Amino acid sequence: MKKVSKIYIYTKGDERSEYTASLLVAKLEGAGICVLPEYDDDADMIICVGGDGTFLRMLVNCGYPQVPVAGVNTGHLGFFQEFMPEDLDELVRVCLTGDCSIQKNRLLEATVWADGPVPQNYYALNDFVIRSSKGSTVHLNLTIGSSFIERFSGDGILISTPAGSTAYNYSLGGSIVDPRVNMIQLTPMAPMNSRAFRSFTSSVLLPPDMEVNLFPDDDYRSNILLMIDGVEYRFEQLENVVVRYSPTEISLVRLANYDFWGKVKSKFL
Ligand code: NAP
Ligand code: MN
């Protein structure tokens, strides 16, 4: 990473994060680095103080920034958050020297046709969930590439990036993916398998240039909820969702000796 001179700090807003951010501001300014009061194009780095949820919200609020982003964990799990509040001196050193590794995380992009003729695009670092808004079964027609696969029946379908594979995907029985493997993972949520309904029961893994298309049966269009990185989106009539990789990548600051599997062990086992 290039040495940085102007940093924007995004915080969760709770007492612990605000306190940690105030210590960080003092240390950065003491080292001659300018801390911006608001995020703008001048920033050459963003530091996010909070948990993974805060990190995901920061990405939305800063418009999926292209500058390196580093996290300080004042939340619960903090899989994205490489630094602990006691590591602030190390973080300042990284800003001054640029000595770190940058983990590139590509975003998923969903084009959603709902409530009108103009589709909207949404982005996710972790995952998209397409599910029933009412707790009832959904029937979703699934096409992968140009092949119609099935009429899925169950709670819904989760589509995750490698970065999101350790989040909801993992709770649903999906596989943890090393971020160096570039792929899309589709994980069924409570798939139904009976004489009435047939749905695939395990995750499926797709190459990164594949497109996935999901559309509900006509009767279910008003019952669909989208969850995008954990945030709910509701629609009157959801017609069609196409998910693919976006060209946009997030550059996450990791320590120079970052080891994904060491992180998995320390956070999950
Ligand atoms: P949340 O309900 O607080 O998130 C659930 C947990 O997932 C938190 O402990 C969060 O870490 C952790 N997490 C988030 N991204 C992760 C990642 N990439 N790898 C490992 N753990 C991760 O909601 P949130 O904090 O706003 O996070 C949104 C994410 O929650 C969604 O993208 C979805 O994947 C996940 N989620 C999980 C479940 C489930 O497991 N049953 C249900 C709904 C949503 P922090 O504690 O540091 O925030
Ligand atoms: Mn959270």
Side-chain angles (χ1 to χ4, degrees), residues 12 51-54 57 76:
K12 181 178 178 181
D52 289 324
T54 312
R57 280 183 282 286
H76 292 114

Side-chain angles (χ1 to χ4, degrees), residues 79-80 101-105 179 250-254 258 260:
F79 207 77
F80 293 122
S101 64
I102 296 287
Q103 183 183 47
K104 299 274 188 187
N105 292 288
I250 298 300
S251 299
L252 181 57
V253 175
R254 297 293 196 183
Y258 173 75
F260 172 73

